[in-house]
Amino acid sequence: MSREAKKTCSTQQLFFECAELFLPWLSPSDLASASSACKTLHCISKSITTRRASDASRNFEKHPIPFINTIDSQPYSYFIYTPSQILCSPPLSQPWGSNLQKPISNLFSSTNFGPYMTSLLFISATDESTSGCVCKSCSEEEDDGENGCPCSRFKPKVLLGLGQDLEMMTECGPSCDCGVDCGNRLTQRGVSIRLKIFKDERKGWGLYAAQFLPRGEFICEYAGELLTTQEARKRQKKYDELALNSRFSAALLVVREHLPSGKACLRINIDATRVGNIARFINHSCDGGNLTTVLVRNSGALLPRLCFFASRDIVEGEELAFSYGEVRIKQNGLQCFCGSSGCLGALPSEQT
Ligand SMILES: C[S@@+](CC[C@H](N)C(=O)[O-])C[C@H]1O[C@@H](n2cnc3c(N)ncnc32)[C@H](O)[C@@H]1O
């Protein structure tokens, strides 16, 4: 090979390596623009698209969670991935589809939130349920209710074979001596089951079981940005406007924890529209679907997390669904296509 040819070859190699580094940061529309610039960028963009479609979780979860679309040409849905809820400002973009196997860094790990997050995560512990445990190896409560880890005092009914409503459970947390492998941190290790994301003509993307899931199985957390109520209302208004004019899918969930008196005492706004995990693909079903929502409190953490468990046995290939709520007050609300025998015809909507 001549010197000139060698030089051209190494320049091409350098261009290729640079493109592999920066293209994964681009949104689908920017990726498409870059792809039309030359043959090399077209080839790399194509393989990035294939990799994105093969794993919505960007390697953050135990198994890849692929997109499958037999309806139209959209290969995947674009968003920023976080395995758990976040309070800090999320990054504007995140690499996705790179040929590197591991996520570049876990931007959202609980140790990486900075002082602002720490002050919100920890509260001054005055009662037993928030002060954490000093167990060497945490075990669940024994039948007499005494000898187990104090952090696992509450178990949701779905794990005990009972009801369907929003429930509560407690786990070890930041103020406990035990580590992430502790037996009482079931919902803190991300998604460990096999799932896939299918596109439906009328409901858009939806989350499906890619294996049998027994009743009581932990599915995933509803991860996203935690918002103030003021910010949630502002965003909801914007999302409603967008949904009127396009097939825009919002994923802003409002959770209210009630006192026994019935008065709301805690409101949590989780927005997974731009930043979230695979729970943002779970569609609504008027009959409650096959998932139960559980508020999980970690010892020492100020805010609970919303987690999904299988409310009954779920067979491979079944769509996962839950009820978004009861109230339907918005005019021009979205039509519901849940297909359940008790379908009310419109998606739940509420003035947030
Ligand atoms: C949290 S997202 C669920 C994922 C969404 N299907 C997507 O494509 O990204 C909520 C949106 O999904 C759609 N959706 C969810 N359940 C539905 C249902 N039962 N019937 C029709 N559309 C539904 C609505 O557009 C809703 O605003």
Side-chain angles (χ1 to χ4, degrees), residues 113-315:
F113 285 121
Y116 170 66
M117 182 65 186
T118 310
S119 66
L120 283 158
L121 260 179
F122 296 97
I123 53 176
S124 61
T126 48
D127 87 83
E128 201 189 323
S129 65
T130 57
S131 61
C133 65
V134 288
C135 315
K136 287 199 182 72
S137 88
C138 306
S139 62
E140 291 184 9
E141 237 177 328
E142 303 212 333
D143 285 347
D144 61 8
E146 278 176 8
N147 298 324
C149 168
C151 298
S152 65
R153 277 183 311 166
F154 297 101
K155 278 274 160 277
K157 290 184 200 139
V158 68
L159 296 182
L160 302 170
L162 302 165
Q164 287 260 340
D165 294 338
L166 181 77
E167 302 188 53
M168 206 254 285
M169 74 186 260
T170 49
E171 288 190 346
C172 294
S175 61
C176 297
D177 282 359
C178 53
V180 75
D181 292 330
C182 152
N184 188 33
R185 291 179 188 257
L186 172 67
T187 68
Q188 297 171 46
R189 288 186 280 269
V191 182
S192 61
I193 51 168
R194 291 193 181 273
L195 298 165
K196 54 191 171 184
I197 300 161
F198 266 111
K199 192 161 189 184
D200 176 84
E201 211 165 339
R202 298 185 299 181
K203 294 187 284 186
W205 297 103
L207 191 64
Y208 288 71
Q211 65 169 79
F212 171 75
L213 301 169
R215 178 189 170 123
E217 180 85 22
F218 168 61
I219 308 295
C220 61
E221 174 180 341
Y222 193 89
E225 295 175 79
L226 286 168
L227 306 179
T228 61
T229 296
Q230 193 186 17
E231 176 64 14
R233 287 190 175 130
K234 202 171 104 192
R235 289 196 192 182
Q236 188 62 59
K237 203 166 156 234
K238 195 176 94 189
Y239 295 158
D240 286 348
E241 282 164 17
L242 286 169
L244 268 184
N245 306 315
S246 63
R247 288 203 66 170
F248 177 79
S249 281
L252 203 170
L253 202 71
V254 177
V255 184
R256 289 186 182 84
E257 201 183 8
H258 293 278
L259 285 169
S261 67
K263 287 187 181 160
C265 64
L266 176 65
R267 175 185 160 134
I268 307 163
N269 309 289
I270 313 169
D271 190 4
T273 309
R274 196 175 76 82
V275 184
N277 68 347
I278 40 97
R280 70 193 290 288
F281 295 110
I282 306 177
N283 286 321
H284 161 83
S285 181
C286 293
D287 68 359
N290 45 20
L291 302 180
T292 288
T293 42
V294 177
L295 271 185
V296 182
R297 287 185 184 284
N298 299 350
S299 290
L302 175 59
L303 295 170
R305 293 171 301 115
L306 187 72
C307 293
F308 294 103
F309 289 79
S311 60
R312 58 166 171 77
D313 287 352
I314 298 171
V315 296

Side-chain angles (χ1 to χ4, degrees), residues 203-205 249-250 280 283-284 324 334-338 347:
K203 294 187 284 186
W205 297 103
S249 281
R280 70 193 290 288
N283 286 321
H284 161 83
Y324 286 4
L334 294 173
Q335 201 177 345
C336 179
F337 295 109
C338 73
L347 285 185

Side-chain angles (χ1 to χ4, degrees), residues 327-348:
V327 190
R328 287 162 179 78
I329 57 164
K330 277 186 199 158
Q331 283 176 342
N332 307 321
L334 294 173
Q335 201 177 345
C336 179
F337 295 109
C338 73
S340 72
S341 55
C343 179
L344 296 170
L347 285 185

